[in-house]
Amino acid sequence: MPKKSDGKAAKRFWNKREEEFLLNTMKNLVIDNAMWKLDCGMFKGGFFRKSEKKIILHFPGTNLRASPHIDSKIKTRRKQYNLLQDMIQSSGFGWDDSEKIVLVDSNDRVSDAKGMRNKPFPYYDDWLTLFGKG
């Protein structure tokens, strides 16, 4: 992975095709074999590595790897999912399933929307499958 001048690894930006493939791959792995997903919404060891192998087959020559890329991407998406879930379940918020956006029912709650108001989350249904409990 390329390094920045401070010696730290440069951030890897995912394109839409890569992210969609990752989500579909992970979702299919969980649907095909529920043992990959733990009751707490986390994944068993080896899950990201299995996803990595499928990505490498689909995108020959890619530098995407389980660690740090998939791990980092899923950590970020899980954080967004958890924040969305907390908001949706709180008074003053709702969810528009057709637009995949957070609704703010009250002007008092606008500042609590944390930049998520009117921002579409097109992968929300995938996140439910991957991160939802049970």
Side-chain angles (χ1 to χ4, degrees):
M1 171 178 282
K3 302 273 185 191
K4 295 188 290 186
S5 60
D6 62 4
K8 294 183 180 177
K11 181 174 174 136
R12 169 53 158 86
F13 290 96
W14 292 65
N15 66 45
K16 185 176 180 172
R17 283 184 49 228
E18 291 169 338
E19 183 158 4
E20 286 176 352
F21 185 83
L22 174 65
L23 286 173
N24 286 324
T25 294
M26 293 176 71
K27 191 171 68 172
N28 290 336
L29 285 170
V30 166
I31 290 169
D32 291 346
N33 190 343
M35 72 139 231
W36 284 115
K37 187 173 164 187
L38 302 172
D39 290 338
C40 64
M42 301 296 279
F43 304 106
K44 280 192 172 185
F47 182 71
F48 290 169
R49 192 85 173 102
K50 181 94 168 170
S51 300
E52 172 190 294
K53 288 178 182 178
K54 291 184 177 284
I55 287 173
I56 290 170
L57 287 173
H58 190 78
F59 298 101
T62 187
N63 68 345
L64 287 170
R65 297 295 179 259
S67 180
H69 306 115
I70 295 172
D71 184 51
S72 176
K73 174 59 70 179
I74 296 308
K75 188 177 191 177
T76 299
R77 295 302 182 221
R78 184 185 309 277
K79 190 175 181 180
Q80 287 179 316
Y81 168 80
N82 288 334
L83 183 56
L84 275 172
Q85 288 300 99
D86 289 347
M87 290 174 70
I88 292 167
Q89 295 171 10
S90 298
S91 175
F93 293 102
W95 179 253
D96 180 332
D97 200 44
S98 63
E99 296 291 323
K100 304 294 185 213
I101 60 172
V102 172
L103 302 173
V104 182
D105 298 339
S106 160
N107 284 336
D108 297 339
R109 300 305 304 257
V110 170
S111 64
D112 295 334
K114 299 178 175 94
M116 298 174 90
R117 183 181 191 192
N118 296 325
K119 178 182 175 186
F121 293 92
Y123 304 121
Y124 181 73
D125 293 330
D126 297 324
W127 296 353
L128 280 173
T129 301
L130 291 173
F131 307 134
K133 311 249 188 308

